[in-house]
Amino acid sequence: MAKTMYEDMMSILTEYSSGLGEKMSAEADRLTKRARKQLKETSPRSREQGEHYADFWRLKRFGKKGTFRIVIYESHESKYRLTHLLEKGHKTRGDTFAEGRPHIEPVQERINKEFETAVERLIKEG
């Protein structure tokens, strides 16, 4: 009798966790797309016409169903090195210092808080 009760409980918990994992994955997808959009809007743009640093934010999803990792990255071959310099500032050729223009960290903090709130809500909803 104890074995069947244990099996029943494990079945219920497994079903609950897989459903919760799918909901969390959907929420992560939604928020990641929103973060990418915000990065495109808030990232610095060059003064020149044509390609801009802000235009090259991409998403990539790793993992299997239920486990996931989503990465937002700067995809341009020559511009990906700019992210840290633009975010934190850098020394220029004329020995002056170009102030950083934080555009990644604020988006990351906001999205992380929203994801945490969403996960708490999903757990409470069951």
Side-chain angles (χ1 to χ4, degrees):
M1 182 165 150
K3 189 175 184 178
T4 59
M5 190 167 102
Y6 171 79
E7 289 171 350
D8 290 343
M9 288 183 72
M10 287 306 295
S11 172
I12 291 168
L13 289 172
T14 302
E15 184 179 321
Y16 171 77
S17 65
S18 69
L20 184 61
E22 289 174 12
K23 290 175 185 176
M24 286 172 53
S25 181
E27 192 67 27
D29 280 339
R30 184 184 71 79
L31 288 172
T32 305
K33 289 174 185 172
R34 192 157 139 211
R36 178 176 166 245
K37 182 180 177 187
Q38 288 176 4
L39 280 169
K40 283 185 168 221
E41 292 170 358
T42 61
S43 292
R45 294 188 167 272
S46 65
R47 294 182 188 131
E48 302 167 7
Q49 293 294 330
E51 297 178 336
H52 298 285
Y53 163 80
D55 297 332
F56 289 94
W57 290 106
R58 302 286 184 261
L59 300 176
K60 188 167 187 174
R61 185 182 178 105
F62 300 93
K64 300 174 186 173
K65 188 177 179 182
T67 63
F68 57 89
R69 185 172 128 201
I70 304 170
V71 176
I72 301 174
Y73 65 98
E74 170 52 54
S75 66
H76 194 278
E77 239 176 64
S78 64
K79 296 185 189 288
Y80 74 92
R81 294 178 183 97
L82 290 175
T83 56
H84 181 78
L85 298 175
L86 290 171
E87 183 82 6
K88 304 293 182 187
H90 59 91
K91 191 174 179 181
T92 63
R93 289 184 187 160
D95 270 350
T96 59
F97 189 78
E99 292 295 321
R101 295 176 61 186
H103 57 286
I104 301 169
E105 194 172 335
V107 172
Q108 179 184 3
E109 288 174 2
R110 191 168 38 251
I111 294 299
N112 285 347
K113 285 179 185 174
E114 288 181 37
F115 184 67
E116 186 177 324
T117 303
V119 168
E120 289 172 357
R121 178 181 44 81
L122 289 171
I123 291 171
K124 286 177 184 175
E125 288 175 358

